[in-house]
């Protein structure tokens, strides 16, 4: 019989995890020893638990599967709360595994170190930001608990919480089985598919909109096939930027309401048959709409539910819905209906001072020349600038909007994809988690990192220009790269940026930090339109 530690690792692997991120502590040392000695999953330690959570979240998104964050009890696990709250908001199935006091210790009656209020306080906190939980305090029940929780993570694409007492890691247990997923009721699925197709057929201007769940459930190819079979255009949400990047023949662009391409905005807001696949109805996706979207003519598939107008179908997995729709259609045509994507902006490499949108143009040139890189963006103008980069795989906190995501997410991307990532991050967010780059040398990661250094919390200044607290100091990040194991360069003009990006691209084996100096008060074109749209929408209320 395997030990509980082994069985848990084997179960993570069997359920699709490809790696573990973590930081040890005395309550999780036995499990870390099992992780290291067993070699069942590669694992990477980072420097602060928020980064562990962000990296695991990004790996889960790129892998379209679960990923694991392993931490010690109390001080470690509570550091994970914010990234796991963000993973919940953006439907990313991170498996949180926290070491914990041994079963025997709990009965000793001491106030145990790392404990906040009570022995179950931590589990109660994580119950709010995970879809299922297990306290593995009984070796007999533990395998079934693990199987149930890991199936929940995969079915709902949401984080789950496992608490592992340190004195049970070596306990003998039965192996963990992989529970079969719960299928849709065939009649309900058929009725739902037929109703959707009927509505799409009578619509004059049907459109498909995709968001994060189409990546989480690995159905981007099926969505593209559906669009081709029905001859429908596809748009992504703000959060869904980068989706269907392998299918440029069906993707018309990203819906940003008043802040976006007017043709895409009209496509969505004039539609009389909007099929929303995996779309989170968030303010960042819809609040800058110029006109309210007619929800009576909208079909929304999200969280294993399908809402059609004002009625809904329960327990309909997104992939099964797509299979049911495709089964009722002729084989998809060879190509979709999207006109060739507009040529992405290119950079005029002259001595003009840099603006954020120049960075997008420089990255477009790099991708055109050498192919796209997996991207991770933090919250800030770097994310809005990312909307001006050609549609390439992107992870970003587009809805939860928490800072600190970018650099750790880029490290998670490197692990999950095996490819060299491009990271876009503002100076304020870099101050939070940028120093995690110091872990690259140990693992051979060599991301290209573009720091948008405007010495400012510029996104806040745009909303409240009079506040001086948005002024940040100049930390001279490029000079910090060397000691951390990378190369850094500060650039101020478009020519310097182009040269630095070309040099970074040819330099492998060390992270490359390009510190792009930007003026305070200047933003990307997209952010400027987004803020104007937000303010206009607020005035309309
Ligand atoms: C964890 C967390 N704490 C505070 C905030 C609130 C915020 C949203 S945007 C922003 C400024 C970001 O500054 P940065 O220099 O990174 O980027 P830029 O605006 O382009 O200059 C703050 C402080 C958020 N979203 N998350
Ligand atoms: Mg800034």
């Amino acid at each position: 019989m395997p030990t509980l530690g082994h069985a848990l690792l084997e179960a993570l692997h069997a359920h699709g995890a490809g790696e573990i991120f973590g930081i040890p502590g005395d309550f999780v040392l036995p499990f870390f020893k099992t992780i290291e000695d067993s070699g069942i999953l590669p694992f990477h330690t980072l420097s602060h638990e928020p980064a562990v959570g962000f990296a695991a979240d990004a790996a889960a998104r790129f892998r379209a599967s679960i990923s694991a964050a392993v931490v010690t009890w109390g001080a470690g696990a509570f550091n994970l709360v914010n990234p796991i709250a963000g993973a919940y908001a953006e439907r990313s199935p991170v498996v949180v595994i926290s070491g914990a006091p041994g079963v025997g210790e709990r009965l000793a009656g001491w106030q145990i170190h790392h404990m906040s209020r009570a022995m179950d306080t931590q589990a109660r906190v994580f119950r709010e930001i995970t879809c299922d939980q297990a306290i593995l305090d009984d070796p007999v029940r533990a395998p079934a608990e693990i199987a149930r929780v890991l199936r929940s993570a995969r079915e709902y694409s949401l984080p789950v919480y496992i608490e592992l007492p340190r004195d049970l890691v070596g306990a003998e247990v039965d192996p963990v089985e992989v529970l079969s997923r719960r299928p849709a009721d065939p009649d309900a699925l058929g009725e739902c598919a037929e109703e959707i197709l009927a509505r799409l057929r009578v619509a004059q201007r049907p459109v498909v909109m995709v968001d994060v769940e189409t990546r989480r459930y690995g159905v981007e190819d099926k969505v593209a096939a559906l669009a081709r079979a029905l001859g429908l255009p596809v748009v992504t949400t703000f959060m869904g930027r980068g989706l269907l990047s392998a299918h440029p023949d069906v993707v018309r662009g990203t819906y940003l309401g008043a802040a976006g391409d007017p043709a895409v905005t009209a496509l969505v807001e004039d539609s009389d048959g909007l099929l929303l696949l995996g779309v989170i109805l968030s303010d960042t996706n819809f609040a800058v709409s110029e006109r309210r979207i007619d929800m009576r003519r909208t079909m929304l598939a999200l969280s294993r539910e399908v809402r059609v107008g004002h009625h809904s179908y329960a327990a309909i997995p997104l992939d099964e819905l797509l299979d049911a729709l495709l089964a009722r259609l002729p084989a998809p045509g060879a190509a979709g209906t999207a006109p060739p994507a507009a040529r992405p902006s290119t950079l005029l490499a002259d001595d003009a001072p840099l603006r954020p949108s120049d960075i997008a143009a420089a990255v477009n040139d790099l991708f055109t020349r050498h192919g796209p890189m997996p991207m991770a963006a933090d919250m800030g103008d770097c994310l809005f600038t990312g909307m001006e980069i050609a549609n390439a795989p992107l992870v970003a906190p587009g809805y939860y909007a928490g800072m600190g995501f970018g650099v750790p997410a880029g490290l998670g991307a490197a692990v999950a994809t095996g490819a060299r990532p491009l990271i876009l991050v503002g100076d304020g967010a870099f101050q939070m988690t940028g120093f995690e780059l110091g872990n690259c040398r140990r693992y051979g990661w060599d991301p290209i990192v573009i720091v948008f250094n405007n010495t400012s919390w510029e996104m806040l200044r745009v909303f409240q220009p009079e506040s001086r607290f948005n002024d940040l100091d100049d930390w001279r990040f490029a000079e910090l790269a060397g000691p951390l194991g990378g190369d850094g360069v500060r650039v101020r003009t478009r020519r310097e940026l182009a040269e630095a990006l070309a040099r970074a691209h040819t330099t492998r084996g060390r992270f490359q930090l390009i510190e792009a100096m930007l003026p305070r008060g200047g933003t990307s074109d997209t952010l400027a339109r987004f803020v104007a749209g937000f303010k206009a929408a607020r005035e309309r209320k």
Side-chain angles (χ1 to χ4, degrees), residues 426-428 452 454-458 472:
D427 57 314
F452 291 53
N454 47 24
T455 63
S456 167
W457 284 328
E458 198 58 29
L472 299 182

Side-chain angles (χ1 to χ4, degrees), residues 379-435:
M379 189 60 208
D381 196 12
C382 61
L383 176 52
F384 294 87
T385 304
M387 299 296 124
E388 298 169 21
I389 294 172
N391 205 30
L394 166 70
V395 291
Y399 161 44
Y400 186 66
M403 288 162 68
F405 180 87
V407 167
L411 306 184
V415 173
T417 65
R420 186 182 204 184
L422 174 70
I423 298 171
L424 307 175
V425 56
D427 57 314
F430 193 93
Q431 290 179 8
M432 292 185 178
T433 55
F435 292 87

Side-chain angles (χ1 to χ4, degrees), residues 234-259:
V234 177
V235 300
T236 82
T237 61
F238 174 61
M239 279 187 67
R241 179 75 179 181
L243 289 173
L244 277 80
S245 55
H247 303 282
D249 62 306
V250 299
V251 179
R252 289 290 183 85
T254 296
Y255 173 67
L256 298 174

Side-chain angles (χ1 to χ4, degrees), residues 83 94 104 112 133 234 265 328 334 369 427 436 538:
V94 178
I112 295 177
Q133 308 82 23
V234 177
T265 302
R328 288 164 172 78
R369 216 170 283 129
D427 57 314
E436 293 290 345
R538 208 157 42 190

Side-chain angles (χ1 to χ4, degrees), residues 103-439:
V103 174
E105 293 174 86
R106 297 169 184 230
L107 306 174
W110 296 113
Q111 291 278 113
I112 295 177
H113 67 282
H114 287 339
M115 182 160 89
S116 170
R117 178 177 179 182
M119 197 57 75
D120 67 343
T121 299
Q122 177 177 306
R124 290 154 66 99
V125 166
F126 276 93
R127 198 160 292 138
E128 282 301 304
I129 52 174
T130 57
C131 70
D132 206 344
Q133 308 82 23
I135 312 289
L136 305 181
D137 55 8
D138 174 353
V140 175
R141 288 187 305 110
E145 294 277 283
I146 294 168
R148 185 199 76 240
V149 164
L150 294 185
R151 177 175 67 176
S152 296
R154 291 206 309 180
E155 280 194 348
Y156 294 99
S157 189
L158 286 172
V160 294
Y161 174 76
I162 293 175
E163 193 169 298
L164 179 57
R166 60 178 166 180
D167 61 355
L168 292 181
V169 173
E172 288 200 334
V173 298
D174 290 330
V176 176
E177 64 171 307
V178 179
L179 299 177
S180 53
R181 44 178 288 173
R182 287 164 291 198
D185 172 275
D187 293 343
L189 180 63
E191 185 182 320
C192 178
E194 271 142 34
E195 183 175 6
I196 289 174
L197 290 174
R199 282 179 170 243
L200 290 175
R201 284 193 185 104
V202 300
Q204 302 298 312
R205 300 173 302 283
V207 178
V208 175
M209 181 183 279
V210 294
D211 195 355
V212 292
E213 278 196 352
T214 52
R215 167 69 54 77
R216 304 290 183 269
Y217 291 110
V219 297
E220 291 173 81
D221 294 344
K222 290 182 178 176
V223 173
L226 179 72
R228 293 187 188 107
L230 288 167
L232 294 185
V234 177
V235 300
T236 82
T237 61
F238 174 61
M239 279 187 67
R241 179 75 179 181
L243 289 173
L244 277 80
S245 55
H247 303 282
D249 62 306
V250 299
V251 179
R252 289 290 183 85
T254 296
Y255 173 67
L256 298 174
D261 174 345
V264 172
T265 302
L267 204 55
V268 171
E269 297 181 5
D270 293 343
S271 175
D272 58 350
L274 202 48
L275 177 56
L276 304 175
L277 296 176
V279 174
I280 296 177
L281 298 182
S282 69
D283 58 354
T284 53
N285 278 342
F286 293 98
V288 284
S289 300
E290 286 187 322
R291 275 161 288 146
R292 284 188 69 76
I293 286 170
D294 184 351
M295 294 310 284
R296 291 165 306 171
R297 296 173 164 182
T298 296
M299 298 149 276
L300 169 63
L302 181 70
S303 308
R304 292 168 60 86
E305 179 192 21
V306 179
R307 268 187 271 163
V308 183
H310 295 298
H311 61 279
S312 66
Y313 297 84
I316 305 280
L318 183 58
D319 58 345
E320 289 189 45
L321 174 64
L322 285 159
D323 290 341
L325 292 168
L326 287 167
R328 288 164 172 78
L329 293 169
T337 62
R343 190 176 146 67
S345 58
T346 59
L347 181 71
L348 179 60
D350 59 14
D351 294 323
L354 276 176
R355 297 172 50 252
S357 295
D358 294 327
I359 297 172
V363 172
N364 283 333
D365 293 342
L366 182 76
F367 285 4
T368 302
R369 216 170 283 129
H370 303 291
M373 298 164 73
M375 289 192 289
D378 214 301
M379 189 60 208
D381 196 12
C382 61
L383 176 52
F384 294 87
T385 304
M387 299 296 124
E388 298 169 21
I389 294 172
N391 205 30
L394 166 70
V395 291
Y399 161 44
Y400 186 66
M403 288 162 68
F405 180 87
V407 167
L411 306 184
V415 173
T417 65
R420 186 182 204 184
L422 174 70
I423 298 171
L424 307 175
V425 56
D427 57 314
F430 193 93
Q431 290 179 8
M432 292 185 178
T433 55
F435 292 87
E436 293 290 345
L437 289 174
N439 293 296

